[in-house]
Amino acid sequence: MTAELPLVLVVEDEPKMRRLLRVTLESNGMRYAEAVTAREALSKAQNQRPDVVIVDLGLPDRDGTDVIRDIRRGSITPVIVLSARAQESEKVAALDAGADDYVTKPFATGELLARLRVALRHGAAHVRGETRAVFEVRDLRVDLLQRRVTLRSVDTHLTPIEYRLLTTLIRKAGQVVTHGELLRDAWGPAKADQQHYLRIYMAGLRRKLEADPAQPVYLLTETGVGYRLIDE
Amino acid sequence: MDTSSHHASETLRQEIGSTLIATSSARPYVTALLVVGLCTAANWLLSFWLATTNLAMVYLLGIVLVAVRYDRGPSITAAVTSVLAFDFLFVPPVFTWRFGDKQYLITGFVLLVIGIVISTFATRARVASQAALNAQEERLRNSLLASISHDLRTPLALIAGSASSLRDEKSKLSEIEQRQLIETMYDEAQHMSAMVSDLLDMTRLLGGHVVLDRQWYPIEELIGAAIERCRSQLAEHRVHTRLDPELPMLRVDGVLIEKLLVNLLENAAKYTPVGTRITVAAQRVRDRVDISVEDEGSGIPPGIEERVFEKFFRANPEGSVPGSGLGLSICRAIAEMHGGRIDAANRPGRGAVFVLTLTAEQPPAIEPT
């Protein structure tokens, strides 16, 4: 990536929400481009090569989930969904269509910026073809080459499934990972609808990594959607 | 939420359901014919023991059942086919349409009249209960509207007032004053947003359209997610958890139970002094699990432990703490949808405790991987 400021394409039909996003993004060191319709969104996503796309799910001309799928078909640009709906199933549908994360309206700008930073970081790493060798956050350190997990410099033994879950979460650190994705990665497609397996193993992982598993700081639950490993 | 009115609305909803079945086209007629067929089969067996006149009673039973459930059309169908089947199969001479004894003509006529009379009364009763349900929904809508206009007006006035000050008199305001106005706008917008989502949740839950998405959850995950969700509101309290080591998993709608716990935690944060402790505990009691939220506030005024769950009830309506008066009624609706219950009490020493009680079912088998 060049030293140029990152370009964020905002796909949103509500003018006041666009203005708010423009002010927020530009005052936080990002360039702003906008699309009002799904058609415009697709052409700009291809021609302007944004570093991240923010998509409002409630577009007038097409379902936001379809727009995400089409953007995904043409590029690997990270997509963040902006949604007024609190329906978990719609968030999951958007994530399954290829979105990387979501922010629910009304949102605090701090939350949106944090999500954007994560998406930009992932996007840049992807472009450079980087794979992480070591993941480190607070007291947790995971050496992905040596398959070694340490907590406050003390080795922690994980079962193979727990380790696979952790590496899937690390690959998308800071972003939500859906139940379906975690189940497929850790067990394969056969158990894709067996959410209780996932919950039991996540509980085991928390007991090993969290000081109080009922108040986790690393492995956060997004009920009805999936899990999020913090990365800052 | 008031339990008896909840049950009443539940019964009424079932009534409406049967009315809808009654008015849908062909199915009632098919059911009516099926009932007559069953009665005929029963009579075929009973005819070895019973006098012919008594066989009419079995048809009468069938006609009454159809008439109670459906409109006049299917009832008359049931009555007419019953009379015909009775005449053809059981009234001597059998397998002819002739009535050997003219008394059976009266039996047939009575069957027909009973079918019509009962279906007329049953239809009237269904219409009346539909009207009662409409009236109840109307009352709910009115109180919703009253609450919205009253409770949303205060934050709206504060937002509009702060914004107009910033627009018109910015030069006269100090940096700190400007900052305070902006904080007010933000806080009040958050309150409005919370109130609107409470209203949406309540109407959705009461509308009866919510289908529970039951999955197996470790209790600590539900509690952890709820605490995480209201971390900013809980920032000035000390949050503790006290969980039995061997808790069973619960088969619940995780999103709704999280919502319930979030409401309890937000309440505790709102109504108890800064710096006090909030404890979330879970323990197994035989085949049940109690999940409780304990605080160190001033407790619930005696006598209103049950009323706090009523819609729009607020212990201190003129107080400075904003709220919709819906949070706890949403909790109760969610608990009852799960076949559980929620209760409020004062703790022996100090503060209030809210206890959610759910049944622990047999957990699913897990193959070792």
Side-chain angles (χ1 to χ4, degrees):
Chain A
M1 204 162 66
T2 59
E4 208 172 46
L5 296 175
L7 176 65
V8 180
L9 173 61
V10 171
V11 186
E12 164 71 74
D13 63 311
E14 178 62 48
K16 285 183 177 153
M17 188 56 82
R18 284 204 303 273
R19 196 171 68 195
L20 170 65
L21 289 168
R22 159 169 240 151
V23 172
T24 307
L25 296 173
E26 288 182 345
S27 61
N28 281 282
M30 293 175 221
R31 288 180 300 137
Y32 168 91
E34 66 180 32
V36 180
T37 62
R39 182 200 294 268
E40 201 184 348
L42 286 178
S43 82
K44 287 197 174 171
Q46 276 167 11
N47 301 332
Q48 303 201 351
R49 301 184 158 267
D51 297 288
V52 59
V53 186
I54 297 177
V55 179
D56 187 320
L57 278 188
L59 288 179
D61 57 337
R62 258 179 86 202
D63 187 64
T65 310
D66 291 338
V67 179
I68 295 165
R69 207 168 280 124
D70 284 350
I71 292 175
R72 224 345 126 256
R73 206 165 284 152
S75 74
I76 52 157
T77 312
V79 175
I80 293 178
V81 167
L82 207 56
S83 158
R85 318 174 197 175
Q87 286 290 328
E88 276 61 28
S89 57
E90 278 157 1
K91 293 174 185 165
V92 174
L95 293 166
D96 283 344
D100 295 84
D101 214 334
Y102 64 82
V103 178
T104 308
K105 284 195 263 181
F107 54 86
T109 44
E111 187 191 353
L112 176 67
L113 290 170
R115 297 275 185 277
L116 276 170
R117 275 197 302 275
V118 173
L120 287 168
R121 211 156 44 224
H122 279 278
H126 205 297
V127 168
R128 286 197 297 266
E130 271 176 15
T131 45
R132 226 194 276 249
V134 175
F135 173 81
E136 240 178 323
V137 63
R138 300 190 197 178
D139 292 332
L140 176 67
R141 184 175 194 278
V142 182
D143 187 323
L144 293 153
L145 298 177
Q146 296 184 34
R147 295 179 147 251
R148 194 164 155 219
V149 181
T150 49
L151 197 61
R152 270 173 249 98
S153 312
V154 179
D155 273 319
T156 306
H157 175 75
L158 300 186
T159 67
I161 294 239
E162 286 169 348
Y163 185 75
R164 249 179 287 165
L165 287 172
L166 188 58
T167 52
T168 300
L169 288 162
I170 288 173
R171 204 162 52 235
K172 291 192 72 180
Q175 297 182 324
V176 68
V177 186
T178 61
H179 297 127
E181 197 173 341
L182 284 163
L183 280 162
R184 273 190 302 276
D185 271 15
W187 284 277
K191 288 225 169 23
D193 58 342
Q194 307 272 307
Q195 286 191 18
H196 58 274
Y197 272 83
L198 179 57
R199 296 211 176 87
I200 290 166
Y201 280 87
M202 285 301 293
L205 200 49
R206 278 192 177 128
R207 260 169 231 138
K208 290 177 184 174
L209 302 183
E210 303 282 1
D212 178 359
Q215 295 194 66
V217 294
Y218 298 114
L219 301 160
L220 306 184
T221 306
E222 308 256 330
T223 308
V225 180
Y227 296 92
R228 187 191 297 274
L229 172 68
I230 59 148
D231 82 332
E232 53 185 25
Chain B
M1 193 168 72
D2 173 28
T3 327
S4 64
S5 84
H6 176 72
H7 287 311
S9 72
E10 196 55 44
T11 329
L12 288 173
R13 206 173 294 129
Q14 283 161 6
E15 288 283 352
I16 296 291
S18 54
T19 314
L20 288 179
I21 294 168
T23 45
S24 80
S25 56
R27 229 177 100 194
Y29 289 93
V30 177
T31 314
L33 292 176
L34 269 173
V35 170
V36 175
L38 282 175
C39 292
T40 306
N43 274 342
W44 191 257
L45 298 171
L46 291 170
S47 62
F48 296 103
W49 294 285
L50 293 182
T52 310
T53 331
N54 290 335
L55 299 180
M57 291 299 140
V58 174
Y59 280 119
L60 183 59
L61 178 68
I63 292 168
V64 168
L65 287 178
V66 172
V68 165
R69 193 151 172 77
Y70 298 116
D71 289 342
R72 199 176 289 181
S75 310
I76 294 176
T77 309
V80 170
T81 46
S82 294
V83 172
L84 290 178
F86 180 55
D87 171 27
F88 190 72
L89 297 172
F90 300 109
V91 174
V94 290
F95 303 126
T96 69
W97 296 107
R98 283 192 305 116
F99 283 95
D101 188 334
K102 293 291 176 271
Q103 277 185 20
Y104 291 119
L105 266 178
I106 297 173
T107 313
F109 180 69
V110 168
L111 287 182
L112 196 62
V113 170
I114 288 178
I116 292 170
V117 169
I118 292 184
S119 69
T120 306
F121 277 110
T123 307
R124 207 175 287 164
R126 278 196 294 266
V127 169
S129 65
Q130 166 107 51
L133 181 65
N134 287 347
Q136 199 203 8
E137 282 187 344
E138 183 66 33
R139 271 199 303 280
L140 175 66
R141 245 196 307 277
N142 287 342
S143 55
L144 277 174
L145 275 177
S147 155
I148 293 168
S149 40
H150 177 262
D151 288 341
L152 292 186
R153 206 169 278 157
T154 312
L156 262 179
L158 287 165
I159 293 169
S162 310
S164 69
S165 295
L166 285 168
R167 187 189 61 187
D168 302 334
E169 291 157 68
K170 193 161 188 244
S171 55
K172 296 182 209 153
L173 298 167
S174 72
E175 189 88 356
I176 295 168
E177 285 165 332
Q178 290 183 27
R179 181 85 207 156
Q180 282 168 343
L181 289 176
I182 291 169
E183 287 294 338
T184 304
M185 287 168 65
Y186 181 75
D187 289 347
E188 294 305 318
Q190 292 292 325
H191 294 151
M192 279 182 69
S193 167
M195 219 176 278
V196 169
S197 44
D198 274 0
L199 284 164
L200 286 176
D201 285 339
M202 196 68 226
T203 40
R204 209 164 59 93
L205 290 173
L206 278 189
H209 305 302
V210 177
V211 181
L212 293 185
D213 175 20
R214 281 183 180 245
Q215 309 255 4
W216 288 101
Y217 283 89
I219 293 169
E220 64 183 28
E221 178 170 312
L222 294 166
I223 291 175
I227 295 174
E228 174 65 25
R229 262 274 297 281
C230 30
R231 207 168 40 172
S232 63
Q233 292 100 309
L234 293 170
E236 291 173 322
H237 285 80
R238 289 174 293 136
V239 180
H240 284 246
T241 56
R242 190 181 65 233
L243 272 60
D244 274 2
E246 292 297 320
L247 285 170
M249 294 214 290
L250 291 178
R251 203 171 70 84
V252 293
D253 186 312
V255 175
L256 288 180
I257 295 294
E258 181 189 301
K259 171 95 213 154
L260 184 159
L261 294 173
V262 163
N263 282 0
L264 294 181
L265 287 166
E266 282 178 350
N267 260 11
K270 270 196 318 200
Y271 294 107
T272 61
V274 164
T276 56
R277 181 147 89 154
I278 297 171
T279 305
V280 188
Q283 60 172 335
R284 183 173 197 147
V285 185
R286 288 182 299 278
D287 62 338
R288 294 176 295 117
V289 172
D290 286 346
I291 303 176
S292 55
V293 175
E294 307 165 4
D295 65 47
E296 296 179 343
S298 50
I300 304 164
I304 64 162
E305 291 90 344
E306 205 31 48
R307 290 199 65 199
V308 292
F309 293 104
E310 287 173 18
K311 277 192 283 295
F312 303 117
F313 177 83
R314 301 197 58 205
N316 184 7
E318 302 307 320
S320 57
V321 182
S324 63
L326 281 174
L328 287 175
S329 52
I330 291 173
C331 292
R332 178 154 278 184
I334 293 173
E336 286 178 353
M337 286 174 79
H338 282 82
R341 54 179 296 149
I342 183 164
D343 298 287
N346 283 311
R347 296 165 63 213
R350 179 187 181 202
V353 55
F354 290 84
V355 186
L356 165 70
T357 304
L358 294 170
T359 311
E361 298 169 50
Q362 185 64 38
I366 299 291
E367 309 158 19
T369 10

